Amino acid sequence: MNEFEKQYQEILDFLKFEDYPLAVKRIIDFTLDTQEIGFYTKTCNLLNWLDNNPDDNSKKEKLQELLAELHSALVKRPQQIRQNILEASELTKKYSGFSLGPVNLSLNEGDIIGLVGENGNGKTTLLRSLCGELHPTSGHISYNFKHEDLYDLRTKLVYIPQRTDTWYGSMMDNLLFTATSYGFSPQESPLVVELVVARLGLRKFRKHKWKDLSSGYKMRFELARMLLRKPKVLLIDEPLANLDILAQQTVLEDFKAIAKSAFRPIGIIMSSQQLYEVEKTSDEVIFLKQGIQKNLKENNEANDTEKHLVIEFESAWSQSNLNDCLLSTGLVSLQFNGGTYIATFNGNVTINHFMKAVIDQNIPVVYIRDISNSTRRFFVS
Amino acid sequence: MFKKTQNYLLLHHPLLWNTKFIPVIIITLIINILFFAGGYLTGAVDFNDPYRLNEYRHYEPMAIFLNLIIGLLVIIVWLTFYFRNNGFKSLYPKKNNSLYKEWLIILTVCLLTCSNTAIYEYAFDLRARNYYSKEEVIKRTNLLSRTSIFVDGPFHHWSRFDRTQRNELLDSLENNNHRYEYKEYDEEMVVIPEVEAVTNVYNEGNKLYNPEWDTVCYFENQYPITSLINKQNLKFSIQENIHDSINEWRVKTWMLNREKDSIKKLLDDFFVLVNEHNLQANITSKQWFDFVYKPNDYNDYQIVGNDEFNEINDERKSRDNEEYKTRNDLENNIIQKNGSVTIVLPKYYVPLQRMENTYDRISGAYVSPINYGDILGIIYFAFITSLVIFSFRISSVKNWLISVISLGITGLITFIFSLIIIYSLIEYHSRSQPFTFITIWAVILIVCLIYFVYINRQKTSKKLSGIVVNALLWILPFSLVMVYFYLYTYYDATAIRDINGSRIYEMTGLEKIIHNNALEFFYINLGFILLYMYPFTKLIKKWKGIAEA
C-alpha cells in the first residue's frame, strides 16, 4: 500500500469513527493535492454546508462521497519520489562569543527534522543559516531544487521566526495577497485561501484582527500563509512555544500531514523545547549543545557496544534510598536532575526489570519514562 | 463598488492592490480638481482695477500652504495603508521589473500630490486666458500701446537716438567712468564711456550740460524732449518686441504726417473698449483729440491722466523751477494737499491705467502660463520623495534610519570641511563654487556604488549594503548633476581667454550649450533617473536575496 492509499484508509477510519474535524482536514489536503478548481469549489461548498448544518445526519455521506471522488481523481496520479532537497555539510557560523557547528544534516522531501537544545545553543542561528538569512562562516549548504538566483531561492525557503511580524488589515486579504503573489490564478486564490483557512481550523477567525488573536492562532495564520507559499523547505522556530498541550499536538499532527503529502511533500525543520512531542513527530532529531551538533542516531551507533538503559522517573524518596534499592538491578549511576531522577543501568537491564524493582521495593513513583533513545539524555548534566 | 474594485485588484493585480494605487489616485485627482477649481475661481480678472491688484495672486500662499498640509496628510494616510503589506520584504516571488513598477507608482502618487500648487497656478492663468483669444488680446494690447502715447507717462531718453552722445566736456572728465565690452566679430575689446552718470545734468549753467539733451530727433525733425512724439508707449508681455516698435512708429508716423483721422479712430477705438468694460473717463474722444493733437511740435498739449487717482508730473515745467508744485500745469490740473504732501492730479483722464492692469494680467497669462523653473523644483521634490519612500520600502526601518542619520551627519561634516578648504586654500574668486563639497560627494557616490556592486558579486552577506543602498537611492539622482557641474566649472574656467592683453570671457559650441541650458539639463536628468532606476531596481531585487549577515 502506497502513501496515498495509507492516508486514504486513515480518512476512512476517521469517518468510520465519526472523527469529522480530522477527516475534513485530510479531505482538504487531498483537495489541495488535486490542484483542480472543480474540487476546490466542491470542497468549499461542502465546508459552507457543514458550517450551516453542523448536526445534519447526511454529513458522513457527503464527506464519503467527496472523498471517493477525490480518491478516484488522485489514485491515477504518480506520486512524487521523495528526493533530497537540502544538504548542509560542515556548516559553521561564528559570532563574537558564540560559534555554531560544524553541523551536518540532510533533509528529504516529506521529512521532519527536529532541532532541540537549550536556549542560546544555536537553534535559531542554524535555522536562519538554512533559510539564507545568515551566511555560513564555513561549510556549505546545497539546495537541490531549481532557483534562478538568491532571491528566488529564498522565496522557496519559508522561515517562520518565533516572534512573527504583526499582520495589518484583514486576515483574508493578507492571505489572498500571498496566494496571488505566489501565482494562484484569480479564480483559484479565494478558494485555496478558504481551504487553507479551514485546514488550519481558522474559519471562525477569518474576520478577526491580528491583535485580537491568541498566540496559537497567530501561529496558525502564519502556517496558513506558509501553505500558500508552496515552500520547498519550511524552517520554523519554536512553533510550540505559546501553544497549550492540545494545540501543540494538533499543530504537530498538521506538520506531519503537510510534510508527508503524497503529491506535494515538503521538508520541515523545526526547533522546539518540547522534546517528547518533537521526537514523536520528527524523522530525525538534532541536539545542539553550545553550538555543537549531537545526533541521537549517530550517538547510539557510536556507543552501541556499551548501550545503557536510561530511565527518567520522579519519586518522593531520597537519592541515597533509591540508590540502595536499585543497585541490585544493575544501576550504573543515579542523578537528580531538575525534580526528576535519571537512572542509568547496564545494557542487559530492560524497563520491565526496572518496574519490577520498583514494585518489589515498593518505591513510590509518580512519573516514569525510558529516555534511552531520547535527546533528553543530552540535557542531563 | 470600491470594495469590489479593490478585490478585483487583489486577485488580478496584487501590486496595484498593495500600493492602494486606485484609491490614492482617485483621492489625489479629486484634490487636483479642487485646486484647479480654486485657481479658476480666484483667477477672475477685475476689469475695473485701479491698484494693479490683478497682478497679485492673493490666494497663492494659501494654495501652497494647503498643498503642503493636504499633500502631507494624503501621503501619511496612503503610506499607512500601503505599508500594511510588503511582498518584497516577505520575499514573495517578484518579476524583475516589479520593483521598478512599484517605484513608478510611488512616483506618480508623489507627482500628483506635489502638483496641486502648479495646477492652481495653471487654472489661475487659464481663467485669464479664457476671456479672449490670443489674437484678440494682441489686438487689444496693440490698441492700448498706441493710445498710451497720448496719455501721461514717461518720455524716451535722448541717448536712444543716434546722436553724438558725448561732448568734449565728457571726454575731459578725469574720473570718466567707462566699461569694457568684447565685440565678438571684431575680436577686440572696446571702451564704452558711461555717460549715464552725467545725463541728468540739464542745467545750462553746468559745464557738463549738453544742449543736445533738450531735443530729440524724429524723422529728421527736432522736437523738444517733452514732446508727445517722444513719448514711450505701453508694452505688454504678449507683444513681441517688434510689435512695440511697430505700434510706436505707426502712431508717430500718423502724428508726423498729421493723419488726423487715423489718430481720431485710434482714440475712438479706445473708447469702444472703455465702454465695453464699463469704465469711466471724464472726457470724450473728441476732447481728448483736441487736447493732444498739436501738430506743430506736439509739445503744447494738455496732459491727460491715466486715472483720476494717479499723480501727474509735467516734464515740460521741470527745468523752469525746481519747486515741485510749479513743475506742473496747475491751471489745467488739480492740486491736492494731504497734510504736508502736495500732489497733482489730472483734471482730465481716461482709464488707461485700469485697462493696463487688466490686459497686463491677461497678456501675462498667455506668455508664460507655466514657469518651468518652478515646476522643475516640484518635480524634483516629487522624485526625491518617491525615492525616500521607495528606500523605506526596500530596506529595514533600522537601516533606513541609520542611512538618514549618517547621511545627514556626513552632509554637515562635508559642508563644514569644504567651507574650511575653500576659505583657507582657494583664491577668493572661486569661493562661491561648491567644488570641494561636490567632489567629496562624488567620491562618496563612487565608493558606495563600487561597494554595492562588490556585495552583489560576492553574494555572501549584506554587511553595510543595507545602508549603502539607501544612500545610493538618494545620491544617484545627482550623479549627472555632478558631471554637469564639473563640465560647467571646466568650461567656465577655460572660457576666460587672453586676447590682445585683455582677459575676456568667451564660450563656443558645447561650452555654450552646457552653460546656457541648465534648465533643460535638469529636465534631461529626470529622464536619466527614470532610465537608470530600471537596472538599479533589478539589482536591488537580486541584492535582497543575499544573506543579512
Side-chain angles (χ1 to χ4, degrees), chain B residues 117-384:
Chain B
T117 311
I119 287 170
Y120 172 85
E121 302 283 0
Y122 177 80
F124 189 87
D125 285 337
L126 181 69
R127 178 68 182 272
R129 290 204 300 278
N130 279 355
Y131 283 99
Y132 306 108
S133 68
K134 190 174 183 181
E135 292 70 31
E136 182 62 24
V137 176
I138 291 172
K139 198 175 124 193
R140 289 174 182 228
T141 49
N142 284 345
L143 174 66
L144 296 178
S145 286
R146 289 172 190 180
T147 48
S148 66
I149 287 171
F150 301 108
V151 182
D152 182 38
F155 296 92
H156 287 296
H157 192 266
W158 62 265
S159 60
R160 179 172 185 250
F161 305 94
D162 188 16
R163 311 284 294 268
T164 315
Q165 295 200 0
R166 294 193 294 173
N167 62 12
E168 290 174 5
L169 286 166
L170 273 175
D171 291 339
S172 70
L173 283 175
E174 283 179 14
N175 294 322
N176 191 11
N177 294 326
H178 60 271
R179 63 191 157 93
Y180 294 97
E181 197 169 279
Y182 179 71
K183 297 287 179 192
E184 278 184 30
Y185 297 110
D186 301 334
E187 289 195 358
E188 64 172 13
M189 299 293 290
V190 291
V191 180
I192 309 287
E194 291 281 17
V195 292
E196 286 79 3
V198 288
T199 52
N200 58 350
V201 181
Y202 288 105
N203 189 339
E204 286 179 35
N206 192 301
K207 68 171 184 172
L208 296 177
Y209 172 70
N210 187 338
E212 286 181 351
W213 297 339
D214 274 347
T215 58
V216 288
C217 182
Y218 280 89
F219 310 105
E220 297 178 353
N221 295 323
Q222 295 281 341
Y223 292 94
I225 200 162
T226 54
S227 164
L228 282 182
I229 213 160
N230 190 37
K231 270 293 306 299
Q232 289 187 32
N233 63 333
L234 277 182
K235 292 172 181 63
F236 294 89
S237 48
I238 200 168
Q239 297 167 320
E240 289 171 23
N241 282 340
I242 188 75
H243 280 121
D244 293 342
S245 306
I246 289 171
N247 282 327
E248 181 179 349
W249 290 104
R250 177 158 297 163
V251 175
K252 289 182 178 175
T253 311
W254 292 340
M255 291 164 80
L256 180 83
N257 297 335
R258 304 188 177 204
E259 292 178 38
K260 286 166 70 173
D261 292 343
S262 298
I263 297 172
K264 266 185 183 167
K265 185 173 182 314
L266 178 70
L267 302 185
D268 287 344
D269 287 347
F270 179 82
F271 266 85
V272 170
L273 210 58
V274 169
N275 293 332
E276 186 187 315
H277 293 313
N278 292 321
L279 298 174
Q280 296 293 320
N282 67 353
I283 50 172
T284 63
S285 169
K286 187 179 177 314
Q287 281 175 298
W288 189 9
F289 179 78
D290 292 340
F291 287 152
V292 294
Y293 186 69
K294 305 291 180 189
N296 286 339
D297 60 359
Y298 288 101
N299 202 38
D300 182 25
Y301 54 88
Q302 163 65 43
I303 287 183
V304 174
N306 58 18
D307 199 294
E308 62 181 308
F309 305 114
N310 280 355
E311 194 181 357
I312 58 165
N313 182 27
D314 193 343
E315 293 278 339
R316 289 170 297 183
K317 309 287 179 183
S318 61
R319 261 157 270 146
D320 296 344
N321 195 322
E322 291 198 0
E323 191 66 34
Y324 179 81
K325 61 184 178 184
T326 59
R327 277 197 279 138
N328 289 282
D329 184 355
L330 296 181
E331 288 169 21
N332 292 313
N333 289 300
I334 301 162
I335 188 157
Q336 200 175 68
K337 284 193 173 184
N338 286 336
S340 59
V341 180
T342 304
I343 58 169
V344 180
L345 296 172
K347 193 172 181 179
Y348 308 106
Y349 66 89
V350 289
L352 181 71
Q353 178 68 61
R354 294 173 197 229
M355 298 275 227
E356 185 194 347
N357 296 348
T358 300
Y359 284 94
D360 227 19
R361 163 79 206 290
I362 298 173
S363 122
Y366 266 110
V367 173
S368 181
I370 296 170
N371 183 336
Y372 289 101
D374 290 351
I375 287 197
L376 185 70
I378 291 169
I379 296 174
Y380 265 87
F381 182 74
F383 264 71
I384 298 300

Side-chain angles (χ1 to χ4, degrees), chain A residues 101-143:
Chain A
V103 174
N104 293 287
L105 66 87
S106 175
L107 180 72
N108 290 338
E109 285 173 322
D111 277 1
I112 299 177
I113 293 180
L115 274 183
V116 293
E118 290 161 15
N119 288 334
N121 278 260
K123 297 191 296 290
T124 304
T125 303
L126 178 57
L127 288 175
R128 289 180 68 199
S129 300
L130 294 174
C131 80
E133 207 175 289
L134 297 176
H135 185 73
T137 310
S138 65
H140 181 69
I141 307 169
S142 59
Y143 302 95

Side-chain angles (χ1 to χ4, degrees), chain A residues 133 135 151 154 174 178 229, chain B residues 85 90 92 460 546 548-549:
Chain A
E133 207 175 289
H135 185 73
Y151 185 88
R154 288 181 69 179
N174 274 278
T178 308
R229 295 179 70 171
Chain B
N85 300 87
S90 302
Y92 288 178
T460 51
I546 298 171
E548 309 303 318

Side-chain angles (χ1 to χ4, degrees), chain B residues 510-533:
Chain B
L510 180 65
E511 306 166 32
K512 219 171 201 171
I513 291 169
I514 286 172
H515 204 274
N516 298 336
N517 297 291
L519 191 69
E520 288 77 2
F521 165 78
F522 276 93
Y523 272 104
I524 290 168
N525 189 43
L526 293 174
F528 172 67
I529 297 170
L530 286 168
L531 276 179
Y532 80 69
M533 274 301 281

Side-chain angles (χ1 to χ4, degrees), chain A residues 13-273:
Chain A
D13 284 346
F14 293 146
L15 286 174
K16 187 176 161 189
F17 293 102
E18 299 188 343
D19 191 350
Y20 296 122
L22 215 48
V24 168
K25 278 186 177 184
R26 306 301 292 275
I27 286 174
I28 292 172
D29 285 342
F30 275 6
T31 309
L32 291 169
D33 283 341
T34 64
Q35 300 184 345
E36 284 179 22
I37 289 187
F39 278 110
Y40 295 165
T41 314
K42 271 185 189 171
T43 310
C44 281
N45 289 341
L46 183 61
L47 289 170
N48 290 332
W49 184 87
L50 287 171
D51 279 353
N52 296 326
N53 306 282
D55 303 320
D56 196 295
N57 291 333
S58 59
K59 191 195 292 185
K60 192 174 181 176
E61 281 168 34
K62 284 184 182 288
L63 287 168
Q64 276 173 334
E65 200 179 308
L66 179 60
L67 181 62
E69 279 184 54
L70 287 167
H71 181 261
S72 57
L74 288 169
V75 75
K76 298 162 205 160
R77 293 198 185 175
Q79 289 183 48
Q80 205 171 317
I81 301 158
R82 293 183 183 175
Q83 289 173 335
N84 179 273
I85 42 171
L86 186 153
E87 191 135 13
S89 51
E90 298 301 313
L91 169 72
T92 65
K93 179 71 188 172
K94 287 188 175 118
Y95 292 120
S96 54
F98 176 74
S99 173
L100 167 74
V103 174
N104 293 287
L105 66 87
S106 175
L107 180 72
N108 290 338
E109 285 173 322
D111 277 1
I112 299 177
I113 293 180
L115 274 183
V116 293
E118 290 161 15
N119 288 334
N121 278 260
K123 297 191 296 290
T124 304
T125 303
L126 178 57
L127 288 175
R128 289 180 68 199
S129 300
L130 294 174
C131 80
E133 207 175 289
L134 297 176
H135 185 73
T137 310
S138 65
H140 181 69
I141 307 169
S142 59
Y143 302 95
N144 304 321
F145 49 86
K146 264 189 186 174
H147 55 273
E148 283 173 20
D149 51 30
L150 289 176
Y151 185 88
D152 189 39
L153 169 70
R154 288 181 69 179
T155 64
K156 290 168 178 153
L157 303 169
V158 175
Y159 168 60
I160 304 179
Q162 194 176 352
R163 283 183 193 165
T164 54
D165 289 338
T166 305
W167 291 22
Y168 297 97
S170 130
M171 299 293 104
M172 293 303 275
D173 281 357
N174 274 278
L175 293 174
L176 279 169
F177 178 58
T178 308
T180 47
S181 296
Y182 271 84
F184 285 103
S185 73
Q187 292 75 31
E188 281 177 309
S189 293
L191 298 168
V192 170
V193 168
E194 282 292 342
L195 292 173
V196 166
V197 163
R199 172 67 183 82
L200 291 158
L202 295 166
R203 271 172 85 80
K204 282 182 194 166
F205 302 93
R206 282 179 293 185
K207 302 271 166 69
H208 278 55
K209 286 182 179 169
W210 184 257
K211 62 180 171 65
D212 299 331
L213 293 170
S214 67
S215 306
Y217 282 104
K218 282 177 185 169
M219 175 54 72
R220 281 172 185 227
F221 269 108
E222 281 293 351
L223 291 176
R225 179 156 74 169
M226 175 279 293
L227 280 180
L228 295 167
R229 295 179 70 171
K230 309 175 194 168
K232 292 282 181 191
V233 180
L234 169 63
L235 302 134
I236 185 159
D237 199 2
E238 302 282 1
L240 311 176
N242 297 307
L243 305 183
D244 58 55
I245 186 70
L246 193 68
Q248 284 178 12
Q249 283 168 355
T250 313
V251 164
L252 288 172
E253 203 51 45
D254 288 344
F255 281 161
K256 211 168 180 178
I258 291 162
K260 310 280 179 200
S261 162
F263 303 96
R264 300 169 299 125
I266 61 170
I268 297 178
I269 302 178
M270 64 169 166
S271 73
S272 181
Q273 306 279 358

Side-chain angles (χ1 to χ4, degrees), chain B residues 408-426:
Chain B
I409 292 171
T410 313
L412 196 67
I413 291 169
T414 50
F415 179 71
I416 294 167
F417 177 75
S418 52
L419 275 185
I420 293 167
I421 293 288
I422 286 166
Y423 278 89
S424 57
L425 297 176
I426 301 171

